[in-house]
Amino acid sequence: MVTSPRRGKDRTRLIACLYPMQIQTIDWLGNEKGYLKLIDQTKLPRQIKYLKCRSWQDVAESIKQMRLRGAPAIGVAAAFALYLGIRNLKTTNYPNFYKKFSVISHALLSTRPTAVNLQWALNRIDAIIRSYQRDFNLSRVIKASFQEAMKILQEDREICLQIGLNGAKLIKNNYNILTHCNAGALATAGGGTALSIIYQAKKQGKKFSVFATETRPLLQGSRLTVWELKMNKIPVTLICDNMAGFLMSRKQIDLVLVGADHIARNGDTANKIGTYTLAVLAREHKIPFYVAAPLSTFDYKIRNGSQITIEFRNPEEITHIQGRPIAPLNTKATNPAFDITPHKYISGFV
Ligand code: MRU
């Protein structure tokens, strides 16, 4: 499953000279017999290591272990995982086929419960398969599922670009922008959501700088966002999560840009734990707070944020950093991975 095509400095230099769209967080290599290629994000920024996923279990495990993370990227990966799960099925009986498909789909759904893009992508493949219910043809259904997964991948790339182009007008010269977690190329198949806005503003020649929160406990801000922004020569300053209020009170933040994992019909938004705190602080200091997300993150079936399932992860992620204890043995800890920002704190959606 694991491969490192180019190691060390060479590979880092190669990626550094590419536009963020070219940070290939997730890609399908080869034809229908090919495999899903992912960057192992748990290894960043120390090492750029690629994973080859040839089975749905490889993909599910990568999502669970957060080797791949970020709601849009998870959605794309899940679509390919379903395809990988069915491509070798032999049954020519639709009910049997659908039963096997459903087992895989349910297993994938449980990997990250808050990222609604996962459910959305599974539903898209499900719709393709159901369309063959009456006139079942195994090889055609497998081919059509592959094509749908490729379509989801391409669409995500295009949507990221459009989010960037639409949102770039929010950024003015000399702005200091605060972002949280990683809503960049590493969280999507394209150039990101919140960070795509930053990349497009830079392309338009605007001068600005970014503050990135480190994003405890898994440090997506320091490990991933800072890495991505530095790769793209965007001035970035790392802060601890608890420093944002201080900077805001000193008028050092002009705009907050974040991504989203699940947005309810009324605009309540689930995003990485700590987003709610930043939104309340931004309101107190009259700083615009924008959420950037593809339509696949909007869930019109649910009325408000109270209906969003929040993922709770292993408390060891709090009591340990990369395997080393930072609290006394047997310390009780709780680890919600996301929080809900009520819509009243959100200036707008891109
Ligand atoms: O736990 P993660 O790293 O998957 O959380 C990611 C986030 O919270 C992102 O902000 C969100 O998925 C949007 S990514 C474009």
Side-chain angles (χ1 to χ4, degrees):
M1 181 176 168
V2 173
T3 170
S4 299
R6 284 196 202 198
R7 283 180 178 273
K9 274 188 189 159
D10 274 3
R11 178 78 209 165
T12 310
R13 226 174 278 134
L14 173 75
I15 291 202
C17 67
L18 298 173
Y19 180 68
M21 293 297 204
Q22 306 300 321
I23 294 176
Q24 296 276 304
T25 298
I26 178 163
D27 204 3
W28 182 265
L29 288 216
N31 58 14
E32 286 159 52
K33 295 199 173 103
Y35 59 88
L36 194 65
K37 184 182 167 197
L38 312 173
I39 294 185
D40 182 349
Q41 299 190 31
T42 60
K43 298 279 187 283
L44 288 172
R46 279 169 297 141
Q47 192 190 357
I48 300 173
K49 179 175 175 179
Y50 287 91
L51 307 172
K52 282 181 182 178
C53 297
R54 294 184 187 279
S55 71
W56 72 267
Q57 292 95 335
D58 284 350
V59 183
E61 199 51 24
S62 293
I63 295 174
K64 244 191 234 168
Q65 302 302 330
M66 292 182 65
R67 294 178 198 125
L68 174 96
R69 28 69 50 200
I74 291 170
V76 173
F80 281 108
L82 272 185
Y83 166 68
L84 287 169
I86 61 170
R87 77 171 164 184
N88 295 323
L89 291 183
K90 295 282 179 263
T91 176
T92 50
N93 170 290
Y94 180 82
N96 275 347
F97 177 86
Y98 194 75
K99 212 164 142 190
K100 288 186 174 146
F101 163 82
S102 299
V103 169
I104 300 169
S105 185
H106 279 114
L108 286 166
L109 189 58
S110 67
T111 53
R112 295 293 308 272
T114 305
V116 73
N117 309 60
L118 173 59
Q119 170 86 70
W120 169 87
L122 297 176
N123 287 348
R124 274 189 59 169
I125 303 292
D126 185 84
I128 293 292
I129 287 175
R130 279 169 188 269
S131 71
Y132 284 85
Q133 184 169 8
R134 289 228 178 94
D135 186 17
F136 186 59
N137 178 309
L138 183 66
S139 60
R140 260 197 255 147
V141 97
I142 292 173
K143 197 178 180 66
S145 301
F146 176 70
Q147 285 167 346
E148 187 69 1
M150 289 299 279
K151 206 166 146 202
I152 291 172
L153 173 86
Q154 295 303 340
E155 280 174 13
D156 191 60
R157 290 190 174 145
E158 180 58 28
I159 288 164
C160 287
L161 177 62
Q162 293 304 327
I163 289 175
L165 292 170
N166 283 335
K169 55 179 89 69
L170 292 172
I171 297 179
K172 302 208 165 42
N173 270 324
N174 303 316
Y175 260 23
N176 288 319
I177 302 152
L178 177 69
T179 190
H180 186 53
C181 193
N182 174 267
L186 288 166
T188 65
T193 57
L195 296 195
S196 179
I197 295 173
I198 284 167
Y199 296 135
Q200 290 307 321
K202 176 168 190 215
K203 251 185 144 182
Q204 293 170 5
K206 293 179 185 171
K207 301 268 181 281
F208 57 87
S209 75
V210 177
F211 284 96
T213 56
E214 65 177 350
T215 318
R216 280 278 289 145
L218 295 181
L219 307 175
Q220 290 93 328
S222 57
R223 293 188 305 103
L224 309 177
T225 295
V226 172
W227 181 79
E228 237 195 91
L229 292 175
K230 280 171 78 71
M231 287 281 186
N232 290 287
K233 303 198 169 24
I234 310 266
V236 55
T237 305
L238 176 64
I239 59 168
C240 295
D241 298 348
N242 50 9
M243 295 172 183
F246 173 78
L247 292 179
M248 289 183 186
S249 72
R250 296 266 170 123
K251 303 208 176 315
Q252 286 183 46
I253 305 291
D254 301 292
L255 172 69
V256 183
L257 286 177
V258 295
D261 275 73
H262 200 149
I263 303 171
R265 199 162 66 215
N266 71 344
D268 291 354
T269 295
N271 191 48
K272 179 53 55 196
I273 191 78
T275 303
Y276 171 43
T277 319
L278 294 178
V280 175
L281 279 169
R283 170 60 52 89
E284 172 67 19
H285 294 284
K286 301 188 173 48
I287 297 164
F289 182 99
Y290 279 86
V291 173
L295 285 177
S296 50
T297 310
F298 289 78
D299 184 353
Y300 300 105
K301 291 191 302 301
I302 60 166
R303 246 177 315 145
N304 59 50
S306 70
Q307 293 169 280
I308 296 175
T309 305
I310 296 293
E311 173 187 2
F312 278 75
R313 296 183 60 84
N314 190 340
E316 243 191 64
E317 290 178 354
I318 308 274
T319 56
H320 291 65
I321 289 188
Q322 297 184 333
R324 295 195 178 187
I326 54 160
L329 200 66
N330 298 325
T331 296
K332 192 175 160 204
T334 182
N335 188 10
F338 299 93
D339 58 26
I340 310 282
T341 300
H343 65 90
K344 67 176 179 180
Y345 294 114
I346 298 170
S347 314
F349 293 90
V350 181

